[in-house]
Amino acid sequence: MLVVEGIKKHFAGIAALDGASIEVRAGESVGLVGPNGSGKSTALNCCSGFERPDAGRVLLLGKDVTGKEPWDVAKLGLVRTFQHANLPTKMSVMDLMLAGGHLVRGETIRHSLVSWKRVREEEADAVDKAWSILERIKLDKLAGHPGGKLSGGQQKLLSLGMALMGDPKILMLDEPTAGVNPSLRVELAEHLRKLQTEGVTLLTVEHDMRFISDVCDRVYVLDRGAIIASCAPAELSDHPEVLEAYLGRSGSRAVVESADRRTLS
Ligand SMILES: Nc1ncnc2c1ncn2[C@@H]1O[C@H](COP(=O)(O)OP(=O)(O)O)[C@@H](O)[C@H]1O
Ligand SMILES: [Mg+2]
C-alpha cells in the first residue's frame, strides 16, 4: 500500500527526517511513535503531499507520489487527519463533512458549470454519505452545530468523519487521542479497528501506547528523523534503543514513570 524510501526533510538546518523508510501492507494497521520532535508529523506531511521531501521517495499502491499535491494524493486513496484540528467556528459539522468530500473529489469551477446536473446528484449523494458517517461516529445530532465549537474529542471524531468522506484506502491519523477523554478514546479505537476490518489500511501517530497496542498490529519507532525499530507493540520494551530514545536524553524520573504507565511521550 505504502512504501516510503529514505525520506529526508530539513528545516533551516534541522534534519526533521533523516532517511526514514516505512512500509505498510494493504489491510495493516501500523503505528508510528517517537519522542516529541522526532519527525512523525513531518513524515505524515511528506506522505500526504503537505511537505515535499528533500530526498527519498513515497510510493502509494506502486505509484510514485513524491512531491505531489495533497489533493492528488488524496484522489489516489491517501487521506490524513491533523494533529491540531483547528476547525472553523463558522462552518457547521455538516458543512465540514461536505468540504471533506470536496477536497478529495477535487472539483473545478468548469466541472460545476459544464455538468451541473451531475454535480447536483453528487451533492445529494454526498449529503447522504455525510449523514451515514455522522451516525456512525454519533455526531449526527450535532450536524448543525459549528464544528470549531465542539469539544476537543468531538473535533477529533469529526476530523475522522471528514477523512472518511474521501473513501480512504489508507488513512493516516496524527495523534488522534490528544485531548480526548478516556471513554471517547475507547470508542475511537473501536472505530479504527472496524475500519481495518472493512479494508482500510491505517497508519497512526500516537503517544498513548495503550491506544497503539489496542489499534496497531505493528509499530515503527522514529528517533531524530530515522526509524530505529519496527516490531509488535508488545515487543517495544525489548528494544534497548527505544528505551534509550525515550529515556536516555532526559533521564528524568517523571518520564521513566510515565513509560511504566505505558505512555511514552
Ligand atoms: N514547518 C517547519 N518549519 C521548521 N521546523 C519544523 C517545521 N516542521 C517541523 N519542524 C521541526 O522538525 C522537527 C520534527 O518535527 P515534527 O515532525 O513536528 O515532530 P513530531 O511530530 O515527531 O513531534 C522538529 O524539530 C520541528 O521543530
Ligand atoms: Mg507531531
Side-chain angles (χ1 to χ4, degrees):
M1 177 63 70
L2 178 77
V3 178
V4 177
E5 287 176 352
I7 42 167
K8 295 188 179 183
K9 181 73 189 175
H10 285 78
F11 294 108
I14 294 171
L17 289 173
D18 195 15
S21 296
I22 293 169
E23 279 189 39
V24 183
R25 288 186 292 275
E28 252 191 320
S29 174
V30 173
L32 179 62
V33 303
N36 278 331
S38 56
K40 303 178 299 294
S41 293
T42 306
L44 294 200
N45 289 343
C46 285
C47 291
S48 54
F50 288 86
E51 300 278 5
R52 183 185 289 265
D54 301 330
R57 291 201 308 166
V58 180
L59 304 174
L60 179 62
L61 287 161
K63 277 205 181 100
D64 192 337
V65 296
T66 322
K68 288 227 182 311
E69 298 295 345
W71 45 90
D72 290 326
V73 182
K75 266 187 249 169
L76 290 171
L78 189 162
V79 183
R80 54 85 55 89
T81 66
F82 289 88
Q83 187 169 342
H84 307 288
N86 284 335
L87 297 174
T89 49
K90 294 224 163 100
M91 287 175 80
S92 71
V93 167
M94 178 54 88
D95 292 337
L96 287 163
M97 290 291 284
L98 296 174
H102 279 296
L103 173 71
V104 173
R105 286 200 301 279
E107 283 146 2
T108 60
I109 290 173
R110 191 175 173 278
H111 172 70
S112 321
L113 292 175
V114 172
S115 33
W116 61 271
K117 220 171 158 184
R118 232 191 58 219
V119 168
R120 262 220 210 136
E121 282 164 16
E122 283 171 4
E123 284 296 340
D125 289 349
V127 171
D128 288 348
K129 182 170 169 185
W131 277 120
S132 82
I133 294 173
L134 286 176
E135 277 164 22
R136 176 175 181 158
I137 58 177
K138 297 186 199 141
L139 288 181
D140 50 315
K141 292 192 176 64
L142 294 169
H145 278 60
K149 291 200 174 157
L150 299 181
S151 72
Q154 286 170 329
Q155 290 199 30
K156 290 283 189 180
L157 271 178
L158 177 54
S159 301
L160 173 65
M162 289 165 66
L164 294 180
M165 284 298 288
D167 292 323
K169 293 191 176 86
I170 177 164
L171 178 61
M172 295 188 175
L173 302 128
D174 198 350
E175 301 200 16
T177 77
V180 173
N181 71 46
S183 67
L184 209 55
R185 219 171 257 221
V186 172
E187 209 176 291
L188 200 52
E190 282 164 6
H191 284 309
L192 298 190
R193 276 297 191 194
K194 178 99 196 309
L195 285 169
Q196 190 190 9
T197 64
E198 291 167 8
V200 180
T201 305
L202 297 163
L203 181 64
T204 307
V205 165
E206 189 45 74
H207 281 306
D208 180 337
M209 299 309 278
R210 175 153 300 170
F211 189 82
I212 286 282
S213 305
D214 288 348
V215 164
C216 302
D217 311 318
R218 195 160 62 81
V219 61
Y220 280 106
V221 184
L222 198 54
D223 182 37
R224 285 172 280 190
I227 298 293
I228 56 165
S230 162
C231 58
E235 291 163 5
L236 274 177
S237 54
D238 301 340
H239 286 258
E241 62 278 28
V242 173
L243 295 177
E244 158 75 22
Y246 277 102
L247 311 177
R249 267 166 280 147
S250 89
S252 85
R253 184 100 200 125
V255 178
V256 177
E257 282 164 0
S258 84
D260 285 347
R261 288 201 310 269
R262 302 170 73 198
T263 307
L264 305 176
S265 69

